[in-house]
Amino acid sequence: MTEPTHDEAHGGALGERLNWLRAAVLGANDGIVSTAGLVVGVAGATDDRSALLTAGLAGLLAGSMSMAAGEYVSVSTQRDSEKAALAQEKRELREQPEAELEELTELLERRGLSRDVAQEAAVQLTERDALKAHARVELGIDPDRLTNPWHAAWASFLAFTAGALLPLLAMVLPPAEWRVTVTVVSVLAALALTGWSSARLGAAAPGRAMLRNVAGGALAMAVTYAAGSLLEVAGA
């Protein structure tokens, strides 16, 4: 008889995975809405396939690069802050080891341990790896798994691109008379799916999230299509 295995993810690994999945879903959602609004707006003004393709590609590239750059800057700032906090903690451990041991004990006490157990745990954690213990308990940082700005940038770039491709292809591939209809239906279905996915990842009821997503996307397309149609009427 084989021993049972237990492969369920726990703690930080599970939380990190859920954060990445949620970011991917939201990035794809942004790509869908922004590109759909752009190509539907252009379709309100012209039915020229080249113009639609040019506008869609420009929106896809601009949006994906903007998302990637924003994530890189944001996560780089977070990583710099984490490194600075770890450097300060390392200095305090070197200069005030007894005070840091007492601080760790008190932090463990606040988590529900008795004084004696917290003190013993603090001593053992400090002997094993003082910096890692303080980083995890005091700062909420895993020194071995600092945030990576390049991973975040590429993830945002790919998620936005994947989402943006749907309305772009839905607009340029069908015949002219079906372009807007196919795009609107495809986009609303995709937004319902991303709304459901984001709700499930957050353990929330999917109905309201799906309705918000679909309503927001429909409003964006309606506004841009109306603007494009007015420009066509005005001869702009």
Side-chain angles (χ1 to χ4, degrees), residues 51-219:
L52 292 168
L53 180 60
T54 300
L57 284 176
L60 184 155
L61 292 173
S64 59
M65 293 300 295
S66 175
M67 288 283 290
E71 279 296 306
Y72 181 83
V73 171
S74 175
V75 176
S76 292
T77 301
Q78 180 182 342
R79 186 182 179 92
D80 291 343
S81 298
E82 290 173 345
K83 285 184 173 181
L86 289 173
Q88 179 178 347
E89 196 63 39
K90 189 174 183 178
R91 183 171 59 254
E92 291 174 351
L93 285 167
R94 183 177 60 251
E95 297 173 354
Q96 310 171 55
E98 293 183 0
E100 288 298 298
L101 179 61
E102 176 60 26
E103 182 181 38
L104 183 58
T105 300
E106 292 176 355
L107 289 170
L108 292 172
E109 274 191 278
R110 293 175 193 169
R111 295 193 175 191
L113 299 180
S114 66
R115 173 69 186 184
D116 292 340
V117 173
Q119 191 169 35
E120 178 61 26
V123 170
Q124 292 188 25
L125 289 171
T126 299
E127 290 175 350
R128 180 174 300 176
D129 192 324
L131 180 60
K132 184 176 292 187
H134 279 265
R136 289 178 171 174
V137 176
E138 181 180 348
L139 305 175
I141 298 174
D142 186 343
D144 298 328
R145 303 181 69 174
L146 296 182
T147 52
N148 189 311
W150 285 109
H151 288 172
W154 276 110
S156 294
F157 179 89
L158 293 174
F160 188 97
T161 300
L165 281 173
L166 172 68
L168 175 58
L169 295 177
M171 182 60 73
V172 300
L173 292 182
E177 62 271 18
W178 287 100
R179 286 174 185 165
V180 174
T181 300
V182 170
T183 301
V184 169
V185 172
S186 300
V187 165
L188 295 182
L191 290 175
L193 178 60
T194 56
W196 179 87
S197 300
S198 62
R200 296 299 297 171
L201 288 171
R208 187 172 298 178
M210 293 169 65
L211 181 60
R212 283 196 300 261
N213 253 20
V214 170
L219 178 61

Side-chain angles (χ1 to χ4, degrees), residues 219-233:
L219 178 61
M221 289 187 288
V223 169
T224 56
Y225 186 81
S229 298
L230 288 174
L231 289 173
E232 182 187 26
V233 171

Side-chain angles (χ1 to χ4, degrees), residues 1-31:
M1 180 180 295
T2 58
E3 291 295 325
T5 58
H6 188 63
D7 297 326
E8 182 183 355
H10 291 90
L14 178 59
E16 183 179 355
R17 187 180 307 169
L18 289 176
N19 285 336
W20 280 107
L21 288 171
R22 190 174 293 111
V25 169
L26 294 176
N29 191 79
D30 287 344

